[in-house]
Amino acid sequence: MQLIPSTAAVPLADTPPVRPGLGELTRDLGLVYGCDYNPEQWPREVWTEDVALMQAAGINLVTVGVFSWALLEPRPGELELDWLGDVLDLLHAGGIAVDLATPTASPPAWLGLRWPETRAVTPDGVRLSHGSRNHFCPSSPVYRERAMTIAGALVSRFASHPAVRMWHIGNEYGQVCHCDLCGEAFQAWLQRRYGTVDELNRAWGTSFWSQRYDDWAEIVPPRAAPYLINPTQALDYRRFASDQLLALYVEQRDLVRRANPAVPVTTNFMGFHPLTDYWRWAPQVDVVADDLYGDPADGDSPLRQALANDLMRGLGAGQPWLLMEQAASGVNWRAHNPPKTPGRMRLDSLRAIARGADGSCFFQWRQSAFGAERFHSALVPHAGPDTRLHRAVRAHGAELRGLGRVVGARVEARAALAFDWSSWWAAEEPAAPSERLRVLDQLLAYYRPLWRAGIAVDVVHPGMDLSGYDLVVAPQLYLVDDDGVRTLRGVVARGGVLLLGPFSGVADTDAHIRLGRFPVPFADLVGGSGEEFCPLPDGGVPVRSATLGDFRAEVWGERLRLDDGEAVATFAGGDLAGSPAVLRRRDPSGGSAWYVGTLPPQAVLDQIVSRCVVAAGVVGALGRSAGPGTVLPAGIEAFRRGAVLFLLNSATEPRDVPIGGSHRDLLTGAELSGCVRLGPDGVVALLEEASPDAS
Ligand code: GAL
């Protein structure tokens, strides 16, 4: 068996043009309704009951074997695969498809005891123990070889099993190790990136604090150190750590593909996960799949989930994606875990489908009676199927069957939100002007008015082809490489609208500050420029604006001056008095660019975004009749997928939404027209009766 060397660079897009996707499953299954299934925690009699209950609930796909390594290979080289074969046979006989996992996320105790170097090391030098999960070092050749061996054993035995319709490599890749093996792999990664030590010294700026390197062998991962670590070293280690995990995924994926190229291969992403650059991962998976655990106690949970859903659609370039894991009710891993109501479970699941998912899966089928997740909810709770929760699970399965029409349907978005992991990492390195300016907070703040107006937004990488978008919003794009600069400038050159938030365009790909008046690569576009970042005193400072109304700016200011643009808002107090806070410039192309050099209150930001929406001619899901930039009733989400208009109400009161014409609700079959009333947690999936698809 051939291993990819642990130092392998993973190219951004080496995927053959036509790969099987989720369509391989949905073609006959329709929308996927599924869950993780861990039969190894239960006696065999329960397996039979499980299949019967799954059938009754409409479950059509289960992910099996994620944490089974120690049972499949109880002693090194001794395989016990028969029980898994029995599970697959049983599921297949019951008509339930399987997403078969390689069990490599949680190695058995024997691996780490016999080969301690397979266990990860923290930045403080502590080698992690077994007894939990995910304790492996991604650079350990022994771990990699053993992982490939157990994966290979499963492939040889089960690749042609008719139940296996998808492969699930590992689980939630997302850990970082700081051991010497990772240090060596990092050195090799750097050699490939920079070629010479001189070039590395330039990129890392090692003339600072006597950090110059003379040899690759002198370079170590960021570890416990007396004071601040070189920021480009830290950034490159994050890039490396993500690539290193990706190499693990790719080698197992290729093993599976060789055995059965027609079966899609995936692994589960984790939304805006801080340790994995999914722009590099997404081209390597056949199906973009996400684990999303919205917090029912968080009033912004619908907003956050919608944004994560839109990220998944963006990662897959608009292809249908799969909600791989969510909780049916409470989780066990927050400090305080209120349950989800059945209504909220349904709402969250349908939101994902509205936003491009072709399936909704849960963690997990049957609630564990023991182990660290014994208090995590599941589709069959401890109390059994005669429960409110399980009845809701069945009802949801039944209603999903009515939504076959959305399978494969695309979302048409004319607005985009630019987000990049490298930029996020570089912006939040310590020792910046303020730790209170947070990338994800900014992303949410700029996304919120678009979401409220029912405007479809794709989350995009700033360097990708943006020619399909009339409005591009970059809430805080601190680091932008030259490709990103080109494509973002191209939006305005084509007559579109570019909205840049504060602290954007500051650094280049090496995280070096771009010298000159900022935002250096965009200053001419926004018609003004800055010279000093000025975090604001607590309590904020007053800002005057005839256009937006006066407001107080908080946290962040910048010393800007007007060049050939307009000052939409101007600081009116403190040291920044008289300096523009919000800039706009109309371009001769007909496009325009905005720069927001501060943190306005949400209501003011809403107005800025709404003006950009109007200028770009972008409309929400209810169309122009509702007025571009129109805000829907509070708590209502509107989203159009193909011919189907989804309306979701996460408010605690009923809401009326004008829909015009006559529609059929695909979830209930009800005929609706004029105005639709949605109760709390209500959802409708409306197909216009006049639509050519309506028959
Ligand atoms: C995910 C994981 C599952 C389970 C779940 C609980 O992180 O993939 O195995 O642990 O969380 O919320």
Side-chain angles (χ1 to χ4, degrees), residues 461-484:
H461 184 275
M464 67 189 250
D465 177 10
L466 300 177
S467 58
Y469 300 104
D470 300 317
L471 169 64
V472 176
V473 182
Q476 193 197 327
L477 203 57
Y478 168 81
L479 179 158
V480 201
D481 65 15
D482 294 345
D483 286 342

Side-chain angles (χ1 to χ4, degrees), residues 36 66-67 133 171-172 268 270 291 293 325 331-333 363 373 376:
D36 280 53
V66 176
F67 295 110
R133 68 177 184 186
N171 193 58
E172 293 192 336
N268 38 354
M270 292 174 278
D291 294 357
Y293 288 91
E325 288 185 26
V331 299
N332 65 314
W333 42 262
F363 178 86
E373 290 177 334
H376 193 290

Side-chain angles (χ1 to χ4, degrees), residues 190-203:
L190 292 167
Q191 286 188 46
R192 283 192 304 278
R193 183 174 176 89
Y194 296 113
T196 64
V197 180
D198 282 352
E199 178 56 13
L200 173 124
N201 279 314
R202 184 208 57 76

